[in-house]
Amino acid sequence: MAADGQTAVLDTAWAQIPHSREATAGIGSFTRSRVERIISLVAGGLGSLIVGCQAFLTALGPSDERPGWHEALMIAVFGSLAVMILACVIGRGVRLAAGAFALIYMLALAAWPIATEGIAPQTLDEPWIWYLLNLATLAAVLAFPFPLQIGWTILAPVLFGVVRLVQGGFTRDYWIAVSLDVSFALILGGVILTLGWLFRSVAVNVDETRARAVSSYARAAAADAAEQERVAVAALMHDSVLAALIAAERATTPRERTLAAAMAREALTRLANTEQDAHEGTDEPRTAAALADDIAEAASELGLDVDVQCDIAPSSPVLPGRVARALSLAATQAIANALQHAGGAGLGVAVSAADGRVRVDVHDAGGGFDLDAVPDDRLGIRASIIARVAAVGGRADLETGPHGTIVRLAWRESQA
């Protein structure tokens, strides 16, 4: 039951990992528990039923046992075999039932010289108990650890050979016939043992590989979540907290002081709600037109009347809320940068959407700047624009020079 629970957990976790269906075809279903089920159903159920019927029909004919022994041995051996077959078919209690049959069969073999004492074998043909010899090996494979499986595979044929020689009085004719029977049983038992070990080893390796993949993915997901949280907090600090502090420092008129106080209240509210608002807004879908309106509204809050140019195709994609929020905030930061560093000269915003792709361009006619020369502790571009858009699967590119700066924000709808 514990193994089944672990497999269920692995199956659930494995299904959450984005991976190629072609590259992993069949891997998800080839596990230790499923291999055990296949072995028990095909070999322990169907195979044992066929061989058991053959042995049962043989046992109904003339027997070598003394009166009373024949019926007792048949009831013990075939009764335990029937229980094992039933357990293999329904998939419950397989190890217990198979172990019981393996033990009972070995006891029946050990009792064979007593059951046939004083009765000379009529022919050199194998008795009915011989037909079940390799089923005892199969039962050991189903029930016991690997060292015991090896012991059972060797011990059962050897014990059969000994009791048959005892029954036949160790005559020369019996030596040849019994040697052939024992050799055949050892070879077939070895094949059964090897196949069981091979299938289980492959399944265990696959399970371990899946477990490592799940663990690796979990670590990567945790690192990604931590990085996204760091980006969100860094962008929040720059957009809200630092901006409010700068506005308060530079405020000289009552109106500027009121605006700085409002910015501070908003910054504190957003900072307090960081954990609940990790993705900066809900994931309610937003259209590209609504995104353009959000950018225009954010620009107006900065004191600018920006005419956002729109080129939106009828089949343009609908953006997840967090994506629209990230593009809007990144565009707003680009507008704020243009206002602060270029005085808003030549400022313009364009939103285009078509063929599963959304793009926002913010351009100005300022003097440009050297991105590599911006200190690492300045987060306006790195965190509030580039990292923020990257965190939602988009891309931010900057072109800057003496004739101005263009900030291009792009996001493409997943094709999966």
Side-chain angles (χ1 to χ4, degrees):
M1 294 298 292
D4 292 341
Q6 183 180 14
T7 299
V9 172
L10 277 175
D11 287 341
T12 302
W14 180 262
Q16 305 304 316
I17 301 179
H19 49 273
S20 167
R21 183 184 301 273
E22 293 78 8
T24 59
I27 290 182
S29 62
F30 198 67
T31 62
R32 174 63 184 265
S33 63
R34 291 184 175 93
V35 166
E36 292 290 349
R37 181 67 182 131
I38 292 172
I39 294 175
S40 63
L41 186 60
V42 176
L46 182 60
S48 297
L49 179 62
I50 295 173
V51 176
C53 288
Q54 179 186 10
F56 185 76
L57 292 176
T58 303
L60 294 178
S63 62
D64 296 335
E65 303 99 294
R66 291 186 298 171
W69 277 94
H70 180 66
E71 292 78 8
L73 289 178
M74 282 189 63
I75 292 173
V77 173
F78 287 108
S80 60
L81 177 61
V83 172
M84 185 186 82
I85 294 174
L86 179 62
C88 290
V89 171
I90 65 176
R92 293 181 177 275
V94 174
R95 296 187 63 182
L96 180 61
F101 170 72
L103 290 172
I104 290 174
Y105 180 82
M106 294 295 281
L107 293 175
L109 266 185
W112 191 259
I114 301 175
T116 58
E117 185 179 4
I119 300 177
Q122 299 177 6
T123 65
L124 294 177
D125 294 339
E126 298 84 0
W128 63 267
I129 200 169
W130 181 83
Y131 293 94
L132 302 175
L133 191 58
N134 287 121
L135 291 189
T137 299
L138 175 61
V141 170
L142 292 174
F144 301 146
F146 191 67
L148 277 181
Q149 296 175 26
I150 298 175
W152 232 259
T153 302
I154 298 172
L155 180 61
V158 170
L159 181 58
F160 172 79
V162 171
V163 299
R164 281 292 284 167
L165 289 175
V166 171
Q167 182 186 4
F170 292 93
T171 61
R172 178 177 298 178
D173 292 340
Y174 267 88
W175 276 100
I176 297 176
V178 169
S179 297
L180 292 175
D181 290 341
V182 171
S183 300
F184 177 79
L186 284 171
I187 293 172
L188 184 56
V191 171
I192 295 173
L193 176 68
T194 302
L195 289 177
W197 171 82
L198 178 63
F199 289 146
R200 284 169 170 165
S201 297
V202 171
V204 167
N205 288 337
V206 171
D207 277 343
E208 291 176 350
T209 301
R210 293 175 68 202
R212 287 195 296 269
V214 169
S215 177
S216 176
Y217 179 73
R219 290 194 298 270
D224 179 68
E227 177 63 16
Q228 290 197 28
E229 182 179 359
R230 185 194 67 79
V231 169
V233 172
L236 171 61
M237 289 292 292
H238 181 274
D239 294 352
S240 300
V241 180
L242 294 181
L245 292 175
I246 292 173
E249 179 186 9
R250 296 178 178 178
T252 57
T253 66
R255 182 179 180 279
E256 291 176 343
R257 294 190 184 96
T258 301
L259 179 60
M263 292 175 63
R265 282 195 297 270
E266 180 185 359
L268 291 173
T269 300
R270 291 184 62 192
L271 188 60
N273 293 332
T274 299
E275 291 186 358
Q276 290 75 24
D277 197 24
H279 294 293
E280 297 193 278
T282 67
D283 220 23
E284 182 179 352
R286 300 280 288 173
T287 63
L291 170 63
D293 293 339
D294 292 341
I295 295 174
E297 182 180 352
S300 67
E301 293 177 357
L302 295 175
L304 297 175
D305 185 11
V306 177
D307 182 16
V308 180
Q309 302 295 318
C310 296
D311 181 14
I312 301 173
S315 59
S316 62
V318 177
L319 293 81
R322 60 190 176 85
V323 175
R325 178 69 170 165
L327 292 177
S328 175
L329 288 172
T332 303
Q333 181 60 45
I335 294 172
N337 287 348
L339 179 62
Q340 180 180 359
H341 301 292
L347 180 62
V349 180
V351 176
S352 59
D355 300 326
R357 189 168 184 266
V358 177
R359 177 170 158 177
V360 180
D361 290 351
V362 180
H363 58 84
D364 65 61
F369 63 96
D370 183 2
L371 179 60
D372 293 333
V374 177
D376 292 339
D377 59 348
R378 299 297 298 273
L379 305 176
I381 295 177
R382 292 188 178 91
S384 296
I385 297 179
I386 298 176
R388 170 175 276 147
V389 176
V392 294
R395 180 181 176 87
D397 295 310
L398 282 81
E399 292 184 11
T400 182
H403 301 293
T405 300
I406 301 176
V407 178
R408 293 190 175 93
L409 313 175
W411 176 83
R412 181 177 290 277
E413 188 176 24
S414 174
Q415 302 299 315

